[in-house]
Amino acid sequence: MNLQARRLSYSLGAEIIGLQFGHPIDEASLSWLRAAFLEYSVLLFRGQSITREQHIAMSQWFGEVESNDAAPLMRLEGYPQILTVVHKPNPDWKPTDDYVGRFWHTDHSHTLTPAKATTLHGVEIPDVGGDTMFANMYAAYESLSDGMKKILDGLYGVHPIGLNTRRRRIDKSSPERLAESMRRYPPIAQPLVRVHPDSGRKSLYLSEKVKQIVGMSADESGPLLEFLCKHATRPQFIYRHCWQKEDLLIWDNRCLMHLAANDFDKTQTRYLERTVINGTPSGYVYAEAM
Ligand code: SIN
């Protein structure tokens, strides 16, 4: 295969041209693709009218695919590896309604094996908007002063699980059940600076849900975490993906944060199918919270 990479932004991302899904991939092309993934952190394949089997097979090129046991309600019937990311049209929605984006995060950072990569396949895309944004956390780390790098060295942020019952097995029907769910999914302390297991480079490792640094009070943690999130999401570190139908995207969760901008007409459908590629162990259970 004659594969080419066309950069998508100054900071990160590349469109891959020349890949024919549905045809067996040779070893040289696979190595090239894996190297491109490490170099650009987001890879885009346009116009991929692929089957779900092909989507799963492509995900397996990058590692073991997660079977989504923690999010049974979003799993696609017959395809446990595929989660649906769906907004069903709401005919009563008005443009004046709140359309605040979701929060910056990196997938599965609230677990002891955070995701290596995520793929999204755009099945139905609104006329305009519904973009996904990515922040380059290598660049964010590397542009910090030596003084700040020294402060961050060895610090851990506490990553709580989201309480979104649609996605997870969190039972909020009584305080006791909620407490039991939280015991099953305790917060996880993750290094604020993580060494990428494949590239060996350091990057910030954050989520906007992280409100506490281990060993510091909430008042002490807040300003530092706010600064880091604001710094990491500066325009020069960002790629904003404007979806087209049949786009297939894969990104590296170990050195990026992402955010669904949620900026679209909610009377329309937005439907994507997602797989997650398992990562390597990181962090520890933050017992003080339990
Ligand atoms: C996600 O946050 O994993 C989904 C991104 C999106 O819906 O654009």
Side-chain angles (χ1 to χ4, degrees):
M1 279 181 200
N2 177 23
L3 299 179
Q4 286 169 37
R6 189 186 66 82
R7 286 175 68 184
L8 290 168
S9 77
Y10 176 72
S11 180
L12 69 131
E15 179 183 352
I16 302 301
I17 298 157
L19 189 72
Q20 305 268 303
F21 283 94
H23 294 261
I25 188 162
D26 57 83
E27 271 309 313
S29 300
L30 199 51
S31 304
W32 185 92
L33 214 51
R34 288 176 179 150
F37 173 69
L38 282 188
E39 181 172 352
Y40 297 108
S41 307
V42 170
L43 301 183
L44 164 66
F45 307 91
R46 289 250 191 239
Q48 299 303 329
S49 169
I50 51 169
T51 62
R52 286 163 177 154
E53 287 76 7
Q54 286 167 344
H55 184 177
I56 295 166
M58 170 271 182
S59 309
Q60 286 166 338
W61 294 345
F62 295 90
E64 183 191 69
V65 180
E66 149 100 51
S67 54
N68 299 308
D69 294 334
L73 304 180
M74 289 172 71
R75 272 201 294 215
L76 193 68
E77 176 97 35
Y79 296 91
Q81 302 95 332
I82 296 183
L83 282 191
T84 56
V85 178
V86 58
H87 168 79
K88 292 193 185 131
N90 171 6
D92 300 325
W93 180 80
K94 304 270 178 312
T96 46
D97 288 354
D98 177 27
Y99 66 98
V100 173
R102 299 203 197 114
F103 59 97
W104 285 101
H105 65 285
T106 169
D107 288 333
H108 299 191
S109 65
H110 59 276
T111 73
L112 291 169
T113 46
K116 171 181 178 180
T118 303
T119 74
L120 269 186
H121 183 220
V123 179
E124 201 166 340
I125 302 300
D127 290 343
V128 68
D131 300 349
T132 310
M133 295 168 70
F134 298 91
N136 183 336
M137 305 299 274
Y138 286 137
Y141 175 75
E142 286 159 9
S143 60
L144 292 171
S145 65
D146 288 346
M148 180 55 84
K149 286 179 184 158
K150 271 200 202 112
I151 290 172
L152 298 181
D153 195 27
L155 291 183
Y156 280 69
V158 178
H159 292 239
I161 189 173
L163 290 181
N164 184 341
T165 39
R166 199 171 68 79
R167 299 174 77 142
R168 306 182 203 290
R169 291 182 201 266
I170 300 291
D171 186 345
K172 291 199 277 189
S173 57
S174 72
E176 295 72 30
R177 287 185 180 165
L178 177 61
E180 174 51 27
S181 291
M182 298 313 287
R183 263 191 293 281
R184 286 175 54 209
Y185 300 106
I188 301 296
Q190 296 284 2
L192 282 181
V193 177
R194 202 174 163 202
V195 178
H196 193 289
D198 293 330
S199 71
R201 288 172 69 189
K202 286 183 174 176
S203 72
L204 286 180
Y205 193 67
L206 294 176
S207 148
E208 275 186 297
K209 281 270 162 84
V210 175
K211 301 291 179 209
Q212 200 186 338
I213 296 172
V214 174
M216 292 189 188
S217 69
D219 281 352
E220 289 165 343
S221 308
L224 180 52
L225 291 166
E226 252 171 57
F227 160 74
L228 291 174
C229 270
K230 194 167 151 209
H231 167 73
T233 55
R234 288 179 194 206
Q236 64 267 40
F237 302 140
I238 299 292
Y239 166 60
R240 180 175 187 130
H241 185 64
C242 301
W243 286 94
Q244 293 179 15
K245 189 175 164 66
E246 306 294 16
D247 278 352
L248 178 62
L249 214 61
I250 178 166
W251 68 84
D252 191 334
N253 283 294
R254 301 163 297 179
C255 54
L256 300 180
M257 285 199 294
H258 63 279
L259 167 144
N262 210 17
D263 54 342
F264 65 100
D265 177 345
K266 300 294 166 25
T267 64
Q268 300 184 1
T269 302
R270 180 177 187 268
Y271 177 61
L272 302 103
E273 293 187 353
R274 169 181 133 140
T275 64
V276 165
I277 292 118
N278 290 331
T280 46
S282 175
Y284 62 90
V285 171
Y286 181 62
E288 272 111 292
M290 298 171 66

